[in-house]
Amino acid sequence: MKEKNYEEFINYLNHEKKDECVIYIMELFEEGATVRDVYENYVIPALAEYECDSDVEEICIWKEHARTSIIRTILESSYPYLIKQKKAKINKTVLVACPQLEYHEIGAIIATNYLILEGFDAKYIGANTPNEQVISAVSILKPDFLALSITNYYNIVATKKLTEKLREVDSNLKIIIGGQAANNPHTLSQVSYDFVVQTYADIVKFKEELL
Amino acid sequence: MASILSLRKVCKTYGENTKNPTKVLFDVDLEFEESSFNAIIGQSGSGKSTLLNIVGSLDRPTTGDILFKNESLAKLSKNDLAAFRNRSLGFIFQFHYLLPEFTALENVLMPYRISKQPITDEVMNRANELLDIVGLGNFKNKLATNLSGGQQQRVAIARSLINNPAIVLADEPTGNLDSDTTEKVYELLREINQKFKTTFIIITHDRTVAEKTDRVIEIKDGRVYLDISK
Amino acid sequence: MKLAFQIAKRFLLASKRQTLVIILGIAVGVSVQVFIGSLIAGLQASLVNTTIGSRSQITITLEDEYITDYQNLVTLIDNSSDNIRVISPTLTSNGSLINNDNSESILLRGFEFSTADEIYKFEEKFIPGSEFPNALNEVALGLNLKENLGIDIGDDVEFLSGIYGNQTFKVVGFFDFGVNEINNTWVITGLDTVQNIINEGNVVSNIEMQLNEVFDAEDITKLEIETGISSNFKVTTWISENQSLLTGLQGQSTSSLMIQVFVIVSVVLGISSTLAITVLQKSKQLGILKAMGIQDGDASLIFLFEGMLLGVFGAILGILLGVGLLYAFTTFSGTDIPISINAGFLALSAGIAIAASMIAALSPAIKSSKLSVIEVIRNG
Ligand code: B12
Ligand SMILES: Nc1ncnc2c1ncn2[C@@H]1O[C@H](COP(=O)(O)OP(=O)(O)O)[C@@H](O)[C@H]1O
Ligand SMILES: [Mg+2]
């Protein structure tokens, strides 16, 4: 892989050079990179390792927003390659959502794409999805799994209420939890869930256990 | 990190000896760590204030015990509890509760004076420094009644810190402040938490506030319903 | 302590009008007390003064005999009590005075004027032109004798006694005691004149005294005078001879005391109820102080100090008012009731007012220590 050139990509990103960033990633795909490689080596680190180099809070905020926007474009542009690279369908439906007031959605989008790659029928239904809308989607679409992406631990407050309600509405539904808030076991223990899945490897393992 | 405060099976029943006693807290077990920043949330009437008042030894649990640094509070007399509050706790209430007859500086010094120690230059400097930290350096000698709501609350914050308490307890400290002031007050509390390593336990309805804490405890119908941390 | 005092001060200053009203209430009470107390004390003093102010308050006699070694006795008695203001030996005899066809029976009283004048205040009572009858056989007469006998200053007059014979006196003055009994019968002269007439040597018939504390006469007699002298001496006090005056005075004292007690009771009730309201008004502050760890005792002290401060200022103002009232009364009422303003009494009234205020503050103080923090914090 062009790992040695990660610095180059980050440099474009640091200066909000959107075109250069997108072209750079497209070239990677043209050279045969997998969606997983690109996400794991470029997209995810670009956000996870982001450190603001300014002391001014306002600057940091808009820089972060600009960066997120570039990453989004890259994610959208990667979809055609994803269609090509995805594995055989396994006939399992997953709804992916960020709960009420959770705006961090990049992780959820990436997770959705990973699930699609592994043959799941995965749908992302949005950031900041109010509890009633999640419940409505679950009762209409009747998925096998509901995957919730939670970044800010505070959103566990709303998630707990949501999962309790979901258990009442659909007792067969399996709930998957992912996102940074799930990394604290004590915090995680407060919600009712069936699986915790974080990385691509986790998804592969999860799939194996299902089949 | 060491535990500074533990609640052991704390129950509270109001009007125990009346016809219709109301049980408000049920077997609350909690540990708080030193220099942590904790939020308590929950619907109105869930028992948050009752819990905080018991933690603050303003009220006694019906059964159960509170341990401060592994020492039981149940054994202490009324005056011992008062001395404990004075030494180890700081309070910030929703309605500011300054003494209107005294100036900002005098209010800040009040917990120290209650401790009956002589006023030294060191304490004066500390009081002044605290007032500076809360941004009221120029209002020191104003009577409490002549300050705005936000200013009064900031004086109350400075006051809660004068005796270098181990724990600051706050019951909806920004409950009647506008959102800008609320933001400022919380940034201040967080700053103090980091600077002085003071443990904070704050009741709040404000999501943006609770988001900034290390730990959120939700009380529901007198029980710990949820307890999460970063 | 210091903190409680400062808080008390601030609490009082914070509600100035209310504080002023309480202080005025106490002041009115104190001023009434001062006014009535001083007035009655003045009345009593003047009554006592007119009754016994110009006469012997304790008299020592020997039954049917003259006192011979009287100088030593006088010294002995004088030294026996600090309360004896003046002591004076006298020799009294009787007889008639005759001028031309007029004759009057009289009482001939021989004095040592240097001391006797302090008892009888002759000098004040002499009519113009009179002198002390210092020389042998000089006399001064009760004013009524002037007309009854038809004589004047400078005239000679004959004294006639069935036992001792005749003697010619020279009239050097007249005095007016305002009491007919004395003005009709008294003839005063030096001790030596009477001793000369009765011819028994250096003797006296009575030893007379006046006291600093007239109401202690009986005690002094029993405890100090009688213990030092022979039981042959007969000691009489003004009290044993004036029971009715004494009960009158006591009646006045009691009614004065009653008035003062009621004034204090009303002051106490007033302060107590106002301070009770203050505890309610300040319950928020008390709650916050308790949350901050003030000890219950110190919380109570705040109200005791409030009581004390109210008492002190009420007392000061009350005394000023009372004295002003007395001044106005003496100046404008037209009566000549003598008023005695006694520093001790003023201090006592002030002390009582302060003590009463603190007692009144006791129940609010206890109430404040019982006040529960939690109620205050909860109810905002
Ligand atoms: C980008 C970003 C934002 C963007 C989000 C844009 C968007 N539309 O998503 C914006 C600017 C909007 C934002 C806002 C805020 N942010 Co922000 N943000 C970040 C940042 C820099 C990157 C997050 C990210 O996208 N990472 C990349 C993704 C791919 O990683 P990920 O989310 O961890 O997901 C991976 C796994 O967790 C997993 N996964 C995630 N979900 C799921 C779900 C399933 C089903 C599966 C299988 C796997 C899975 O897969 C992903 C790939 O491995 C992080 C910093 C960081 N270190 O993470 C802060 C961070 C998350 N933000 C933070 C905060 C505090 C905020 C704000 C509160 C800031 C503020 N003061 O306003 C707001 C809150 C908004 C809200 N109400 O939710 C904190 C959170 C701390 C906490 N409380 O836990 C962080 C950690 C920054 C920090 N160190 O303080 N933020
Ligand atoms: N002194 C009291 N007597 C009886 N019930 C009380 C008393 N104080 C509080 N309560 C009840 O206890 C419950 C919890 O109150 P509180 O702790 O103030 O709740 P919160 O602070 O979460 O709003 C409420 O139902 C309230 O009515
Ligand atoms: Mg409350």
Side-chain angles (χ1 to χ4, degrees):
Chain A
M1 280 307 302
K2 281 172 84 180
E3 244 168 81
K4 57 183 185 308
N5 292 327
Y6 175 66
E7 300 300 324
E8 196 186 334
F9 171 66
I10 286 298
N11 200 36
Y12 293 140
L13 209 49
N14 280 344
H15 295 91
E16 288 88 34
K17 291 185 172 157
K18 186 168 181 172
D19 292 6
E20 283 83 344
C21 286
V22 176
I23 291 166
Y24 186 92
I25 297 292
M26 287 304 115
E27 280 174 10
L28 284 179
F29 278 125
E30 291 307 319
E31 287 163 17
T34 64
V35 170
R36 183 181 173 183
D37 286 339
V38 170
Y39 284 6
E40 273 178 9
N41 295 315
Y42 295 89
V43 176
I44 297 173
L47 285 172
E49 290 163 18
Y50 169 67
E51 261 175 38
C52 183
D53 54 5
S54 168
D55 290 338
V56 185
E57 203 188 319
E58 287 73 28
I59 297 178
C60 286
I61 290 175
W62 66 253
K63 270 186 160 293
E64 194 178 313
H65 283 204
R67 173 178 293 235
T68 311
S69 158
I70 295 170
I71 294 292
R72 275 174 172 290
T73 306
I74 291 170
L75 286 178
E76 301 304 336
S77 320
S78 70
Y79 204 76
Y81 299 97
L82 185 144
I83 295 172
K84 278 188 228 160
Q85 290 173 16
K86 70 180 172 190
K87 296 183 181 162
K89 289 213 169 185
I90 58 165
N91 215 12
K92 294 282 177 199
T93 52
V94 187
L95 270 189
V96 183
C98 298
Q100 207 162 298
L101 295 171
E102 180 59 73
Y103 289 94
H104 297 94
E105 61 172 350
I106 307 292
I109 294 169
I110 289 175
T112 311
N113 288 356
Y114 279 173
L115 287 165
I116 293 170
L117 271 175
E118 283 302 310
F120 286 88
D121 179 5
K123 273 195 189 70
Y124 173 60
I125 61 167
N128 181 26
T129 318
N131 288 354
E132 309 80 58
Q133 289 183 23
V134 177
I135 289 162
S136 153
V138 165
S139 39
I140 292 167
L141 299 175
K142 301 228 176 328
D144 298 312
F145 302 98
L146 173 72
L148 293 170
S149 171
I150 309 136
T151 301
N152 192 333
Y153 87 106
Y154 184 79
N155 292 321
I156 294 284
V157 175
T159 307
K160 182 173 169 114
K161 294 191 175 79
L162 173 62
T163 54
E164 275 173 11
K165 196 84 203 178
L166 284 169
R167 295 296 187 208
E168 282 172 30
V169 174
D170 183 350
S171 54
N172 294 323
L173 179 74
K174 298 291 177 209
I175 297 174
I176 303 171
I177 304 281
Q180 292 181 28
N183 290 336
N184 181 327
H186 177 71
T187 300
L188 185 63
S189 75
Q190 302 288 300
V191 285
S192 164
Y193 63 93
D194 300 295
F195 307 97
V196 186
V197 183
Q198 290 285 25
T199 61
Y200 198 100
D202 288 349
I203 293 175
V204 173
K205 218 171 109 198
F206 170 67
K207 180 180 155 189
E208 279 167 6
E209 276 165 21
L210 278 181
L211 300 175
Chain B
M1 197 76 78
S3 155
I4 190 163
L5 193 81
S6 327
L7 280 76
R8 298 280 158 83
K9 296 236 165 309
V10 168
C11 295
K12 180 71 186 179
T13 306
Y14 284 115
E16 234 187 323
N17 304 317
T18 62
K19 274 184 224 134
N20 42 355
T22 36
K23 191 157 184 186
V24 176
L25 292 180
F26 300 81
D27 294 323
V28 176
D29 280 310
L30 280 172
E31 297 277 337
F32 292 95
E33 283 176 0
E34 247 172 67
S35 58
S36 59
F37 200 82
N38 308 277
I40 296 180
I41 63 167
Q43 286 187 344
S44 148
S46 55
K48 303 181 298 294
S49 296
T50 304
L51 183 71
L52 198 80
N53 291 333
I54 288 175
V55 167
S57 80
L58 299 176
D59 205 354
R60 286 195 191 266
T62 309
T63 60
D65 198 3
I66 316 283
L67 306 182
F68 174 76
K69 293 188 175 163
N70 292 323
E71 297 278 348
S72 160
L73 295 188
K75 292 182 291 214
L76 299 185
S77 71
K78 232 176 138 202
N79 275 342
D80 287 345
L81 284 178
F84 159 70
R85 285 198 295 275
N86 182 257
R87 237 181 299 114
S88 307
L89 302 182
F91 289 92
I92 309 170
F93 299 101
Q94 180 174 3
F95 302 104
H96 325 314
Y97 284 125
L98 297 184
L99 299 180
E101 296 86 357
F102 291 82
T103 65
L105 182 64
E106 288 168 332
N107 267 287
V108 171
L109 283 169
M110 197 54 74
Y112 185 81
R113 298 197 56 193
I114 287 174
S115 73
K116 295 187 178 166
Q117 292 160 271
I119 299 275
T120 57
D121 285 351
E122 203 187 318
V123 189
M124 276 314 265
N125 290 342
R126 183 170 164 76
N128 282 312
E129 189 200 344
L130 285 169
L131 279 168
D132 288 338
I133 291 178
V134 299
L136 291 175
N138 296 327
F139 296 86
K140 285 176 188 145
N141 297 317
K142 275 206 162 186
L143 271 186
T145 35
N146 295 336
L147 297 174
S148 75
Q151 289 172 330
Q152 289 190 35
Q153 194 55 295
R154 283 185 280 157
V155 173
I157 291 170
R159 183 185 63 189
S160 74
L161 296 167
I162 187 76
N163 281 354
N164 252 322
I167 308 178
V168 168
L169 303 171
D171 194 346
E172 301 186 32
T174 51
N176 52 2
L177 299 181
D178 60 74
S179 58
D180 273 5
T181 318
T182 299
E183 189 74 13
K184 278 198 200 109
V185 165
Y186 278 101
E187 260 150 36
L188 188 63
L189 294 183
R190 192 76 227 215
E191 228 175 275
I192 288 161
N193 162 249
Q194 267 144 26
K195 193 166 170 186
F196 298 116
K197 300 279 165 254
T198 314
T199 305
F200 277 82
I201 304 176
I202 303 171
I203 296 179
T204 180
H205 278 302
D206 202 325
R207 182 198 150 85
T208 57
V209 170
E211 263 179 7
K212 293 195 178 65
T213 59
D214 303 323
R215 180 180 179 194
V216 173
I217 296 160
E218 184 175 359
I219 304 293
K220 194 174 173 186
D221 301 330
R223 293 174 217 265
V224 176
Y225 169 69
L226 173 127
D227 181 356
I228 54 173
S229 37
K230 260 194 183 146
Chain C
M1 263 308 252
K2 243 173 80 190
L3 179 65
F5 185 77
Q6 202 197 352
I7 295 174
K9 208 173 76 186
R10 289 291 173 87
F11 278 5
L12 290 175
L13 285 176
S15 34
K16 289 202 184 63
R17 186 190 303 224
Q18 185 178 327
T19 304
L20 211 67
V21 168
I22 309 180
I23 287 182
L24 267 176
I26 300 172
V28 167
V30 171
S31 68
V32 168
Q33 204 181 350
V34 164
F35 180 73
I36 291 186
S38 300
L39 195 65
I40 288 181
L43 281 171
Q44 291 196 340
S46 101
L47 191 61
V48 168
N49 194 38
T50 44
T51 322
I52 57 165
S54 296
R55 46 167 288 188
S56 172
Q57 291 158 356
I58 298 181
T59 309
I60 296 179
T61 52
L62 258 185
E63 209 128 355
D64 304 326
E65 263 180 83
Y66 292 115
I67 303 169
T68 48
D69 189 16
Y70 70 89
Q71 269 112 343
N72 280 336
L73 191 63
V74 164
T75 326
L76 185 78
I77 292 171
D78 201 7
N79 289 337
S80 71
S81 171
D82 292 339
N83 199 1
I84 296 169
R85 190 172 66 79
V86 54
I87 180 161
S88 180
T90 69
L91 179 57
T92 304
S93 181
N94 45 25
S96 313
L97 274 194
I98 297 165
N99 184 39
N100 303 329
D101 294 338
N102 302 325
S103 162
E104 292 287 334
S105 25
I106 55 100
L107 207 59
L108 183 66
R109 305 213 57 194
F111 292 111
E112 250 175 22
F113 285 109
S114 59
T115 48
D117 192 49
E118 282 191 48
I119 298 179
Y120 294 98
K121 286 104 188 164
F122 293 117
E123 187 148 21
E124 296 168 11
K125 300 182 170 87
F126 280 138
I127 63 163
S130 305
E131 277 170 29
F132 274 103
N134 283 328
L136 192 65
N137 294 331
E138 281 183 350
V139 292
L141 311 182
L143 186 61
N144 294 359
L145 290 171
K146 183 179 177 193
E147 271 187 25
N148 295 351
L149 293 171
I151 51 174
D152 212 334
I153 292 174
D155 293 350
D156 281 349
V157 67
E158 273 299 299
F159 171 75
L160 191 71
S161 158
I163 313 164
Y164 306 116
N166 297 10
Q167 177 67 50
T168 306
F169 292 151
K170 184 174 183 335
V171 178
V172 296
F174 293 97
F175 50 82
D176 181 6
F177 266 79
V179 179
N180 273 336
E181 195 193 319
I182 294 178
N183 285 357
N184 281 337
T185 58
W186 277 29
V187 173
I188 64 168
T189 178
L191 199 55
D192 52 350
T193 305
V194 191
Q195 283 173 344
N196 211 15
I197 290 169
I198 65 172
N199 205 16
E200 294 265 355
N202 189 12
V203 295
V204 296
S205 55
N206 307 342
I207 292 174
E208 302 185 337
M209 283 164 259
Q210 278 202 348
L211 305 176
N212 293 318
E213 299 297 331
V214 293
F215 293 98
D216 292 346
E218 291 285 338
D219 287 347
I220 291 165
T221 305
K222 286 204 186 68
L223 300 176
E224 289 164 7
I225 298 175
E226 281 183 344
T227 53
I229 58 174
S230 152
S231 58
N232 291 337
F233 289 106
K234 188 174 160 237
V235 186
T236 50
T237 67
W238 71 270
I239 291 177
S240 55
E241 292 170 351
N242 290 277
Q243 278 305 330
S244 62
L245 170 68
L246 207 69
T247 34
L249 290 178
Q250 270 162 357
Q252 273 190 351
S253 295
T254 327
S255 60
S256 156
L257 197 72
M258 289 289 278
I259 292 170
Q260 298 187 26
V261 165
F262 279 117
V263 168
I264 290 167
V265 167
S266 65
V267 166
V268 168
L269 289 178
I271 302 173
S272 189
S273 57
T274 335
L275 281 183
I277 295 168
T278 323
V279 173
L280 286 181
Q281 287 172 338
K282 301 292 180 193
S283 59
K284 199 175 111 178
Q285 284 89 326
L286 280 172
I288 196 71
L289 283 167
K290 287 190 172 191
M292 291 191 288
I294 201 169
Q295 305 277 319
D296 284 350
D298 290 337
S300 302
L301 265 185
I302 296 174
F303 289 90
L304 283 187
F305 278 132
E306 279 202 32
M308 193 188 79
L309 283 170
L310 291 170
V312 167
F313 286 101
I316 292 172
L317 189 65
I319 284 171
L320 291 178
L321 245 129
V323 171
L325 219 62
L326 287 169
Y327 176 77
F329 181 78
T330 43
T331 326
F332 304 116
S333 71
T335 58
D336 55 352
I337 297 171
I339 295 230
S340 91
I341 295 178
N342 176 312
F345 176 67
L346 295 186
L348 184 73
S349 305
I352 289 173
I354 294 166
S357 306
M358 289 182 72
I359 290 168
L362 218 57
S363 109
I366 291 167
K367 207 179 270 169
S368 79
S369 84
K370 291 209 176 123
L371 190 108
S372 129
V373 203
I374 199 69
E375 293 307 317
V376 178
I377 303 298
R378 186 170 287 283
N379 302 326

